[in-house]
Structures are given as structure tokens and as C-alpha cells.
Amino acid sequence: MRPIITLEEHFLSRVANAHPNARNEQFKSVPGLYDRFVELGPQRIADMDAGQVTMQVISHGPGGPLAEAVRSHPGRFAGFAELPMHEPQEAAQELRRTCSGRTDGMEFVGALVDSHTETGLYCDGPEFDALWAEAVELDVPIHIHPTWPSEQLYTACSSPHLSEQTNLSILAFGFGWHSDVALHIIRLYAAGVFDRFPRLKIIIGHMGEMIPYMLQRIERVSSKWRKERSFRQVWDANLWLTTSGNWALDPLACILRNTKHDRIMYSVDYPFAKSPDGLKWLEELEGSGMVTGEELEGIRWKNAAKLLGLDVKP
């Protein structure tokens, strides 16, 4: 069977749930979602098998249960570390601890972090240089992932004419958290992070979190900011994207025209999406003629295996 790697796949530790984010509680209202979210065994593997997924890179521990799951299923699971981003120096230390292989023989393949902390802090300040330096030295990527809007953002952008649930949907998974990640990436560029760390590797999800569709405009506007490289050069050299949870070929058509094909990686977004639905999308892509056979294999698994150093063979 041809390999498939997915890498925007989530897990919520029951330990973390002892101090829950109030907005995560709504996951319990979706039948079966919460049970899939907190499980790292047969149910998750059954979904992978149904979607022909060879290996799933799982994120958002905390790391203890996730590390044990990776040890128990080394051919099926790999892990992204969780970092205490409200304390940048500690985040750098935790990245080294989890990705260096020096702790309990367990080595994560990078880290997944929220686009901002709960207090609304982004990572474009100089205090985060220690983290970026550590990521470069370890040669591991940092996946910047959407999260719930901060209270400041919710207050500024919510409508008094809409329900709280509708406002939250707009500012989160309906639109807002994708644009929030795009804004974060542009802030990192404007702050000179990619100048100071030209070998930094950043992953973003959900078909590039809107950036591909505005890429030419971002490049033109940012050319006035006097950075060492253009935004397009950084896009080509420092950014990778996943396709997670977008079961349409329209956005991919844009990406294939302006993004290096070896930067595109298939993902599902489990448990919010299901692997069999992703498999149907891959089959539709294969039948579309939009990519060559080699490009398809890159999207399915080769690009992720190369970036993350995963030992997956056809």
C-alpha cells in the first residue's frame, strides 16, 4: 500500500482537561468528538486504517501520554511537542528536552504551538529568539496552529447583533483563526525573524491559512519594509503548508501555481475531520490531472517524511 503521512492531527490529554479552556468544552456537544479527541489507541488507529494513513504526527499533549503512545506504536504515531509559549525561555528549553532525544529516549519531530497565547501574545518579539535559535540548531520545524480568539480580539471583532456562538464561529474555525495565523506569519517576517534565522522552518495548516491567495499582494506591500529577503523568498525557503480539513481542489489549484510543490503536505485534522474523507480527496486529486505522480507522492507522504525525518518506506 502506498504510504500516507498526516501531521495536523490532535489529541487532548485528560490531564490537561483538569484545567480546561472553557471554549474547548463545546467539543463535548458534538457526538463522539470528545472521545476521539482524548484517545490514543484503537479508535484512532481504526480511523487511520480506514483512510489508509501510514503514520500520524500527533500534537497538543501534554507530552507524557503522547510520548507513551508513540513508544507503543512507533510505526504509526510520531509527535509534536507542546511548549509553554507564555515563557519563551522555558519554551526553548522544552523544545530541546523533547526534540533532542536526551529524555527517556523519546524524540519528538518538532513542536506545534498556538498562534497566540491565551493573553494574546504573539511570537514576533525578541524574547522568542531563543526558541527560534533552538529550532534551527535542532533542525526541527515549528507548526504555528490556529487557536481561539483572545478576549481582546473577541471584544474588538464580535458583533452585538449576533449570538456568542455565531461570533465565535466567525472568529475561530469559520474564518478568523486562519487569518490570525496569516497575520502572525507576516508579523514574524516584518519583525525580521527570518532575517535573523534564515534556516528556520515553519509549518502552517489549512491550505496555507489564506496566505497563498494574497501572496502577490503581501509580497508587493512588504517590499517596502527593507528586509534582507522578499516575502516570496521566505515563503519558498522557510514555510511549509498542510492541506488539512479542506476537501476541495479549488484552493489547491491556487497553491500549485504559486507555491513550491515540495512544500505541500497532506493532513486530515483528526478528530475534527475523518481520514476516509481525506482519502476521497486524495483520490479526486489523483484523478484530476492537477499533479504528476511524483508530485502526488510528495503531497501524500514524501514531503512530510523529508521535513520531519520520518522513517516511512513505500
Side-chain angles (χ1 to χ4, degrees), residues 80 83 85 95 109-113 131-132 135 140-145 200-204:
F80 281 133
L83 307 179
M85 297 299 285
L95 185 69
V109 296
L112 186 145
V113 303
L131 174 62
W132 308 133
V140 296
I142 305 294
H143 188 155
I144 298 179
H145 190 272
L200 182 62
K201 298 176 179 180
I202 299 290
I203 302 171
I204 54 177

Side-chain angles (χ1 to χ4, degrees), residues 8-282:
E8 194 165 347
E9 322 306 324
H10 308 289
F11 160 69
L12 180 65
S13 168
R14 294 184 187 273
V15 175
N17 201 44
H19 305 282
N21 181 316
R23 287 173 173 158
N24 286 344
E25 291 297 291
Q26 66 180 294
F27 295 145
K28 295 181 179 180
S29 67
V30 181
L33 176 60
Y34 180 76
D35 290 339
R36 295 193 299 273
F37 207 177
V38 299
E39 193 262 357
L40 285 171
Q43 187 176 10
R44 183 177 293 257
I45 291 175
D47 179 86
M48 293 168 61
D49 290 344
Q52 299 180 16
V53 174
T54 310
M55 179 173 285
Q56 187 181 89
V57 184
I58 307 169
S59 59
H60 268 193
L66 179 54
E68 185 55 40
V70 173
R71 289 192 190 96
S72 299
H73 305 280
R76 304 304 304 273
F77 294 159
F80 281 133
E82 181 183 33
L83 307 179
M85 297 299 285
H86 57 287
E87 295 288 350
Q89 289 290 337
E90 291 184 18
Q93 293 169 11
E94 181 67 3
L95 185 69
R96 173 156 293 279
R97 186 187 74 82
T98 52
C99 296
S100 65
R102 297 176 183 175
T103 303
D104 301 328
M106 179 65 216
E107 184 174 351
F108 286 88
V109 296
L112 186 145
V113 303
D114 289 341
S115 183
H116 55 74
T117 66
E118 288 191 18
T119 60
L121 177 66
Y122 292 84
C123 304
D124 54 338
E127 66 270 28
F128 285 95
D129 279 5
L131 174 62
W132 308 133
E134 200 68 69
V136 169
E137 183 174 341
L138 292 166
D139 194 24
V140 296
I142 305 294
H143 188 155
I144 298 179
H145 190 272
T147 188
W148 299 112
S150 64
E151 290 302 323
Q152 304 98 300
L153 184 61
Y154 184 87
T155 299
C157 297
S158 59
S159 168
H161 308 296
L162 301 174
S163 69
E164 181 179 0
Q165 183 59 45
T166 301
N167 273 314
L168 192 58
S169 295
I170 293 170
L171 292 174
F173 39 82
F175 189 91
W177 66 19
H178 307 296
S179 59
D180 186 70
V181 174
L183 179 66
H184 195 160
I185 295 299
I186 297 168
R187 285 175 60 157
L188 292 177
Y189 174 77
V193 169
F194 297 105
D195 288 348
R196 296 193 297 278
F197 304 99
R199 294 187 293 113
L200 182 62
K201 298 176 179 180
I202 299 290
I203 302 171
I204 54 177
H206 307 110
M207 293 285 186
E209 309 290 15
M210 300 187 177
I211 291 177
Y213 324 115
M214 298 294 290
L215 184 56
Q216 284 75 14
R217 186 177 179 88
I218 296 168
E219 181 180 10
R220 185 171 68 251
V221 171
S222 63
S223 65
K224 301 177 176 65
W225 300 345
R226 299 182 180 179
K227 298 301 158 188
E228 293 178 11
R229 291 178 293 160
S230 70
F231 188 86
R232 172 68 72 123
Q233 288 174 307
V234 168
W235 180 254
D236 287 344
N238 300 92
L239 276 294
W240 283 255
L241 61 84
T242 81
T243 65
S244 61
N246 285 269
W247 309 136
L249 296 181
D250 295 349
L252 185 65
C254 171
I255 290 167
L256 290 170
R257 290 176 67 98
N258 65 12
T259 300
K260 288 186 175 181
H261 296 180
D262 64 356
R263 301 305 169 112
I264 307 168
M265 304 178 292
Y266 170 69
S267 287
V268 170
D269 213 1
Y270 182 90
F272 308 105
K274 296 180 180 180
S275 299
D277 294 331
L279 181 62
K280 292 177 184 176
W281 181 84
L282 282 173

